[in-house]
Amino acid sequence: MLIKRKSIEQQESSRPARKPRYAPVTLSELNGVRYLHFGTEWVQGAMRLRKPDWLELEYAQQMMAWMLWIPQPLRIAQLGLGTAALTKFCYRQFPGAQVCAVELNPSVITVCESMFKLPPNDERLSVLEMDALDFVNDAANHATLDALQVDLYDATARGPVLDSADFYTACANCLAPHGIMTVNLFGDHPSYAKNVKAMKFAFGHVICLPEVHDGNVVAIAFKTRPALDFVDLAARALEIVADSKLPAKSWVKGLQSAA
């Protein structure tokens, strides 16, 4: 889901005299799964109607790979709400964590509340209508996050709309020393190499899991280079499978193939 071009939101938000325009939010359903689109055929997220808190798409499951190193996060942030799948999962899975989601398009927030069972804000959940770049540049958020999940796409769904070294440096600044960022990329596109290069500039270590779906690649960026003890990681994966049913054993295999 990705293209190297500025989003409608970015283009319009740079013109303060005009009201921002947003890509239309549209829905489709097939075989018990509801999908979010921005006026095109590109899927921006999905929810199985009978399992609204489950991570339906495999790349979304891989975005949780930071769980291999951080079993009990205290603060998690999501840049780009999508169908709120990751936000809802983190909110339910980690009852001791503060969960924050950042979304620029107010219609996406409204649709998530009405059609994708996003719960209302409370003492643990905060969905913010704001630019992701403003969020990561806010000094109040620096060194506060255990996990940061980045899934920023526009209507073309071909490349992250924020992809510079400065952006990823700001993301790194938001993480605690042990913090981990996961990013949804598109492997078969020039934006992939640019994003990985920018992440490697900003982070101590970057690993990309094997490609899934129609080209989605999840990058795992570590502020501090981790110890890749695959025996320990395999044991941790079994705990994750038992606790959450996420396919964590496949993440460890992917890490081994990338090592």
Side-chain angles (χ1 to χ4, degrees), residues 33 41 50-51 72 79 81 83 87 108 115 126 132 145 171 214 224 230 252:
V33 179
E41 74 278 8
R50 295 182 64 180
K51 296 181 179 180
Q72 295 296 330
L79 305 184
L81 185 61
T83 57
T87 300
V108 171
M115 302 299 291
S126 178
L145 301 177
C171 289
D214 295 323
T224 303
F230 289 108
V252 177

Side-chain angles (χ1 to χ4, degrees), residues 7-84:
S7 68
I8 293 173
E9 290 90 337
Q10 281 185 306
Q11 290 171 340
E12 294 302 318
S13 64
S14 65
R15 303 170 184 169
R18 298 177 59 189
K19 184 177 179 180
R21 292 203 317 268
Y22 299 97
V25 176
T26 53
L27 305 175
S28 65
E29 288 186 16
L30 180 67
N31 298 327
V33 179
R34 180 172 293 159
Y35 297 95
L36 176 72
H37 311 264
F38 290 158
T40 72
E41 74 278 8
W42 290 101
V43 170
Q44 301 285 345
M47 179 187 75
R48 185 162 294 278
L49 298 177
R50 295 182 64 180
K51 296 181 179 180
D53 292 335
W54 175 245
L55 295 175
E56 180 67 21
L57 300 179
E58 188 177 1
Y59 94 84
Q61 296 170 4
Q62 287 189 346
M63 292 283 283
M64 299 299 304
W66 54 262
M67 293 171 64
L68 290 167
W69 292 272
I70 307 174
Q72 295 296 330
L74 295 179
R75 191 169 182 218
I76 306 163
Q78 172 74 30
L79 305 184
L81 185 61
T83 57

Side-chain angles (χ1 to χ4, degrees), residues 128-144:
L128 305 176
E129 183 189 327
M130 67 182 300
D131 192 306
L133 188 60
D134 292 336
F135 178 86
V136 296
N137 280 328
D138 186 345
N141 295 318
H142 290 178
T144 64

Side-chain angles (χ1 to χ4, degrees), residues 226-246:
L228 293 177
D229 185 323
F230 289 108
V231 174
D232 287 349
L233 289 173
R236 173 62 186 145
L238 291 177
E239 295 175 354
I240 294 171
V241 172
D243 186 47
S244 69
K245 297 184 172 57
L246 290 174

Side-chain angles (χ1 to χ4, degrees), residues 9 14 25 84 94-95 131 151-152 178 182 186 199 205 219 231 257:
E9 290 90 337
S14 65
V25 176
F94 302 107
D131 192 306
D151 194 6
L152 295 168
H178 63 275
T182 53
F186 194 73
M199 275 184 266
H205 192 59
V231 174
S257 67

